[in-house]
Structures are given as structure tokens and as C-alpha cells.
Amino acid sequence: MSRPAILTVDDDPAVSRAVARDLRRKYGEHFQIVRASSGDEGLAALRELKLRGGRVAVLLADYRMPQMSGIEFLEQAMDLFPNARRALLTAYADTDAAIQAINVVDVDHYLLKPWDPPEEKLYPVVDALLEAWKAVPDREVSEIKVVGHRLSAPSWKLRDFLAANLVPYRWFTVDDPEGQRLLDAAGVGPEAVPLIVTADGRPLAAPSKAELAAAVGLSTEASQDFYDLVIVGGGPAGLGAAVYGASEGLRTVLLERRATGGQAGQSSRIENYLGFPDGVSGSQLTERARRQAGRLGAEMLTTRDVTAIEARGSARVVRFGDGSEISAHTVILATGVSYRPLQCPGASDLTGRGVYYGSAVTEASACKDSDVYIVGGANSAGQAAVFFSQYARSVTLVIRGESLERSMSYYLIQQLAAIENVSVRTCTEVVGAHGDGRLEELTLHCSNGNTSDRVEAGFLFVFIGAEPRTDWLGDTVARDPRGFVYTGTDLMLDGKRPAGWDRDRDPFHLETNVPGIFAAGDVRANSVKRVASAVGEGAMAVTLVHRYLEGQ
């Protein structure tokens, strides 16, 4: 933790040096002594300290300075560090100044210059100021700071990105006093939000996810041009492949568009994963897998949007949205699936302002005393219902089917039945989302009886439709009508190998119609949509990669 600062402002160079010297001699071991020659210079120093998450214990300002008086300086300094203790310095007694200082900035002390000897006239005053400050100190904040609007899709997306990548941050709204101080320190207004302040004090106004990823220390650039194995997608299948690929000596890089973990990483609790009898959160499982893959030597890159893939001789080339590319002997497609957008009036306009896709755990505390609706009947929706029931006044699961039995695990159905504030509306769809600037109501349509009703709703979380994001594969990789990737025996029609196949063998079990390109996990046609099976397929794909490389 860095030392808190004592800042002194005086336009007389000789006095400025003297006070800094005396303060450094007595307090320099435990405090930074910062001196400025004008109010503007002092405010600039305070803004830098604020952005860096530093603390200011004491402010000493000369009363009579040109351009900005000591009182004017302290008044603006209070907006940045309201808990810092304040003292005015003057060469002679000035009753009017003292009264003004007390009324305007609640000054703690009024010091006359010179203060020789400092042991009698300066240090006792500063000691008293430090004791008062220590009673309610400013806390140093080393995390990323985010300033934004509470009901803003851009603000939510950046917060969600940081949370999904397990980057700690401190959230402030533009209405918070501290949020306003950070905006002032960065020299921007509310129109610049979301504002990110990095741990080293750099302000970023409305950064892109790639800019944010680089600023918070996430890897975004490959260290090599050619690898043994490129894995596209960082869900359970991709992480499983990264662990096994790196551990078996393959030069491995994993490419992730948003954050490792995929849909499983958003799960508040996974109860049926082998080896965790008490359950494990998706974020915990993801973080352990990510650290494991990194320790074994796999590279992991975030915010890399893959837009094309091709076979170029013996190389398999992956192209990014910015036009750059990397190549490898083999590729594993592990892009998983995404939730389908809710197709009803109002849903798109209110996304990020009450309507969210996935669990959006960043909104948990905001759900207090609200009515929460969850669309979907699979395990991910059930896990979200259990999680949000701890915060919300009520949680309602909305499903089109007649019951949860066909789509949700038995243990989870039993859990939901035992929670008093959770209910299930069957044979029901959300057909409208309403609100002025934020979600306020939903229109629900029940197919039994063909009736509709409008209900109050503070939050809507959507868990419907597993859609693979595979359009970028174009005609290179064969897919079924819904976009899932064909592999192995699914490619064989009437015993014939796929068109263009140039090997004297059939495709391996997880191999696509392009030799050396494999698919694992939910993106694969006819796969089992479970975390354990995705991890297993990721490991199996690496075994098949070795078989492919041996045959080259």
C-alpha cells in the first residue's frame, strides 16, 4: 500500500521548500510529501493521486496566492478528498480570512509564518491534523474503478465484461459523490461515461472491450505466428482442450471473444459436476481451469473476434476481425452456444436496463425488493432462480412447456420447490417488455386458455435458445441447418466420406469435414449439453489432434 500524502501549496519558492523540508524530516518515513507552487498545480497533483487510488491526509495551503487563494484551493480540493484535514498558512493574522476559511472549507487550523522552531509551532499542529485524519481515513483503492449510469447498457456491458473475466473493480454511479470526484479528476463530464480508471490511474472514457482488456492486463495479442493447436472458444470444452493440449507439450493458444467460462462460467452454482460434492460456482470452476491451463503453458487471449478459417496447405489459418491472422497445425472449435434474443416488443430497447441475457450476477444486489422474472427451463435458468431468490422479493420462472421435468435436472427442481419466493408459470411466454428508461412491466401470454396479463417486473433474465455462433465458418466447415458443426460419423453419407476429403481414412470422431479442424462441446451437432461432457470432449479432441499430427 502506498504512503498517504501531505500536500503543501505556496507560491513563494523559499517558503515552499522550507515547509516541505520540515515536513519531510518529521513525517517523510510514513507519508509522501508533495509540494506545489500554485493552486492549479496542487489540484493537478490531487487529481493524479485520486486516479491512482491514493490517499491524502493533510492539505496545507497559503492563504494569499495569485490566481487562486488558499480558500479557493481547499474548496476544490475537498471535492476530491473530503476527509483530508485542512490548514491555512499566512504571514500575518487575518481575522476575516480565518472566518471565511471556517465558513467555506471548515478549515482545521490557521498557521502563522514563520513557524520556527517547527517542533513547537508546526509539528504539534500537523500531529493533531493526522490524528483527526486517522480517525476517518480515505481508503486506498487499488482496483479498477468504473463510473457510469445505473440504467445504461454500455455501463452494464463493461461491468459485465470485467466481472466475467474476474477482474475486481469498484462501481460508482455518476450521482455518487465519489463518482463525481473521479469524473472531475479525469477532467470529463457525465457524457464521457462509462469511465474506467485503471489501477495505475489512467482514465479511459467509454473504452472498447479490446482497449479495456489491454488496460486491465488481459492478454490480447499472440506471442507467436504459428502454433501446434489453436482453440477457438474459452468455455468448458475450450478450457479442457487447453489444459490437455498444453500439458502434453503442444504449443497451444486459446482465443476467446468475451471471457473464459462460456455459459457455464455464468452459473451461480453447479451441483452435479464430478468432484465437487458441495457444488461449485461457474466462476470458481472457470478460474481454476484458466489458472491450470496458464500454469501448464497455454496462452489465452481475450477480445479476439475470429471471423474466418481456412486450410492453407498443411496449415490451418484463423483470421481476426482486424485483418490479422495466426496459423497452426490444428484447430479445435469450441465456441459453444449463446442465448437467443427475446423476440418481443420492448426487449431490445430495455437490454441492459432491466433485461439481461444470462445470469448477470453484477445486478444481484440491485434486485433487492424487486420482482424478478427468468425465461427458460434448463439448468442454467434454474440455477439463476436459486441465486436471485436470495436477493429478490419474488422470482418467477416462465416456461413454454407444461413442466420443468423434461429440461431441468431433478435435484434442481427439488431445490426450487423448497424456496418460498420462487414460482413457476408453465405454458407461458413473455410477449412484451415495458418501461420508461428501465424495465417496469412485462406482458405474459398463457397458451392454456389463450390469456394475457401484465405484471410488475424489475428484472428479466433470459435463458432461451441455444444458438451456435458459427456463421463465420462460411462454407469451409460443414454445419447442420441450425448451425451446429458436423463431426465424425455425422459427415458420412451412405458410407461415403465428405466432399473434398483428401485422406485415406474416415474423419475422426470429433473431426470436421476439414482434416485437422475439430469441434468439441455444445457447438458440435448432436453433442450432450453438459459441462462434464464438454470438458471430456475437449480432452478427447486433443487426443485426436495427436493422432492427426502423427499421420502428417
Side-chain angles (χ1 to χ4, degrees):
M1 182 177 288
S2 63
R3 293 172 298 164
I6 298 175
L7 179 101
T8 175
V9 184
D10 200 303
D11 64 314
D12 185 325
V15 174
S16 180
R17 286 193 298 269
V19 69
R21 179 199 63 216
D22 290 343
L23 291 172
R24 193 172 291 112
R25 186 171 60 198
K26 168 76 171 177
Y27 306 103
E29 183 178 354
H30 302 292
F31 294 86
Q32 300 179 64
I33 308 303
V34 181
R35 66 186 182 100
S37 60
S38 68
D40 286 334
E41 186 179 319
L43 290 174
L46 290 177
R47 291 189 186 101
E48 184 175 352
L49 285 166
K50 170 61 71 173
L51 292 174
R52 290 181 178 276
R55 298 165 294 161
V56 176
V58 173
L59 298 167
L60 302 174
D62 184 48
Y63 171 59
R64 295 189 178 275
M65 295 186 292
Q67 285 83 47
M68 183 183 297
S69 71
I71 293 176
E72 291 170 330
F73 165 76
L74 290 175
E75 187 176 11
Q76 294 187 49
M78 286 173 61
D79 291 335
L80 294 168
F81 291 96
N83 290 335
R85 298 297 91 195
R86 300 169 289 279
L88 271 177
L89 310 177
T90 187
Y92 52 87
D94 191 328
T95 305
D96 290 340
I99 294 172
Q100 184 184 7
I102 293 171
N103 291 335
V104 176
V105 295
D106 192 22
V107 72
D108 297 288
H109 281 279
Y110 196 79
L111 279 170
L112 292 177
K113 299 184 286 187
W115 44 78
D116 289 330
E119 289 77 10
E120 294 180 14
K121 298 183 179 180
L122 176 65
Y123 296 154
V125 172
V126 176
D127 286 342
L129 293 172
L130 291 174
E131 286 300 317
W133 174 77
K134 287 176 182 178
V136 190
D138 285 324
R139 292 179 298 169
E140 180 179 48
V141 180
S142 59
E143 305 101 332
I144 307 299
K145 304 179 190 72
V146 182
V147 182
H149 293 291
R150 175 69 188 81
L151 296 171
S152 161
S155 296
W156 170 73
K157 286 178 181 178
L158 288 189
R159 291 171 60 206
D160 185 60
F161 175 81
L162 291 172
N165 282 285
L166 303 179
V167 177
Y169 68 91
R170 193 73 62 85
W171 162 247
F172 303 96
T173 70
V174 294
D175 301 320
D176 291 334
E178 186 66 12
Q180 188 58 56
R181 292 183 192 111
L182 288 168
L183 290 175
D184 292 342
V188 297
E191 71 282 351
V193 299
L195 175 74
I196 306 295
V197 180
T198 64
D200 61 358
R202 288 184 296 124
L204 302 172
S208 67
K209 287 182 180 178
E211 292 170 334
L212 179 57
V216 301
L218 298 174
S219 296
T220 60
E221 298 294 334
S223 65
Q224 305 175 45
D225 295 326
F226 196 92
Y227 294 83
D228 295 316
L229 172 62
V230 169
I231 302 164
V232 185
L239 287 169
V243 167
Y244 281 90
S247 69
E248 294 173 12
L250 297 176
R251 291 172 299 166
T252 302
V253 61
L254 183 150
L255 312 174
E256 171 54 45
R257 186 176 59 87
R258 177 178 169 269
T260 52
Q263 287 188 5
Q266 299 180 44
S267 296
S268 54
R269 202 77 183 163
I270 302 172
E271 301 278 2
N272 58 353
Y273 191 73
L274 183 67
F276 293 89
D278 299 319
V280 61
S281 72
S283 61
Q284 289 175 322
L285 189 63
T286 295
E287 175 61 8
R288 293 182 183 187
R290 188 194 61 76
R291 286 192 288 110
Q292 186 177 17
R295 181 177 62 81
L296 293 168
E299 285 185 49
M300 282 168 285
L301 310 182
T302 57
T303 66
R304 295 318 308 252
D305 195 9
V306 179
T307 58
I309 190 170
E310 65 175 288
R312 193 179 297 168
S314 62
R316 302 295 176 258
V317 181
V318 170
R319 192 176 306 123
F320 300 116
D322 61 4
S324 61
E325 60 184 37
I326 57 173
S327 303
H329 290 301
T330 58
V331 173
I332 295 176
L333 305 175
T335 50
V337 294
S338 60
Y339 295 118
R340 177 166 52 84
L342 188 63
Q343 300 295 333
C344 73
S348 61
D349 292 337
L350 294 173
T351 298
R353 295 184 289 173
V355 177
Y356 303 95
Y357 290 86
S359 193
V361 294
T362 54
E363 301 303 308
S365 60
C367 290
K368 185 179 180 181
D369 299 327
S370 293
D371 297 311
V372 170
Y373 284 76
I374 296 173
V375 183
N379 279 8
S380 54
Q383 290 158 354
V386 172
F387 175 72
F388 285 113
S389 69
Q390 303 171 63
Y391 301 89
R393 177 169 54 209
S394 69
V395 176
T396 303
L397 271 167
V398 179
I399 63 172
R400 291 189 299 176
E402 295 181 354
S403 71
L404 293 171
E405 275 72 12
R406 291 186 59 185
S407 56
M408 190 177 292
S409 296
Y410 177 75
Y411 80 89
L412 200 47
I413 295 174
Q414 295 300 107
Q415 279 188 20
L416 293 173
I419 302 174
E420 292 184 358
N421 64 334
V422 174
S423 60
V424 181
R425 291 190 59 155
T426 60
C427 304
T428 303
E429 295 181 72
V430 176
V431 296
H434 319 280
D436 183 11
R438 67 152 301 147
L439 179 68
E440 296 170 349
E441 294 180 324
L442 295 171
T443 298
L444 306 179
H445 179 76
C446 179
S447 58
N448 281 350
N450 194 29
T451 59
S452 296
D453 60 325
R454 196 152 162 162
V455 297
E456 291 186 3
F459 294 85
L460 175 68
F461 299 96
V462 182
F463 296 83
I464 58 172
E467 291 188 338
R469 288 183 171 167
T470 55
D471 290 346
W472 61 274
L473 294 172
D475 297 329
T476 303
V477 176
R479 295 167 290 147
D480 71 10
R482 293 191 298 160
F484 291 94
V485 176
Y486 283 130
T487 59
T489 56
D490 288 338
L491 292 164
M492 306 292 288
L493 297 177
D494 299 325
K496 295 180 180 180
R497 294 166 183 167
W501 188 259
D502 61 357
R503 307 295 161 116
D504 59 357
R505 60 170 176 81
D506 292 346
F508 294 135
H509 176 54
L510 300 179
E511 197 170 21
T512 70
N513 62 302
V514 181
I517 298 180
F518 300 82
D522 291 359
V523 74
R524 192 176 66 82
N526 301 316
S527 65
V528 178
K529 306 298 189 283
R530 287 289 185 269
V531 175
S533 61
V535 173
E537 286 194 5
M540 185 191 305
V542 172
T543 299
L544 298 176
V545 162
H546 283 294
R547 289 178 60 183
Y548 171 84
L549 294 174
E550 290 167 1
Q552 286 293 92

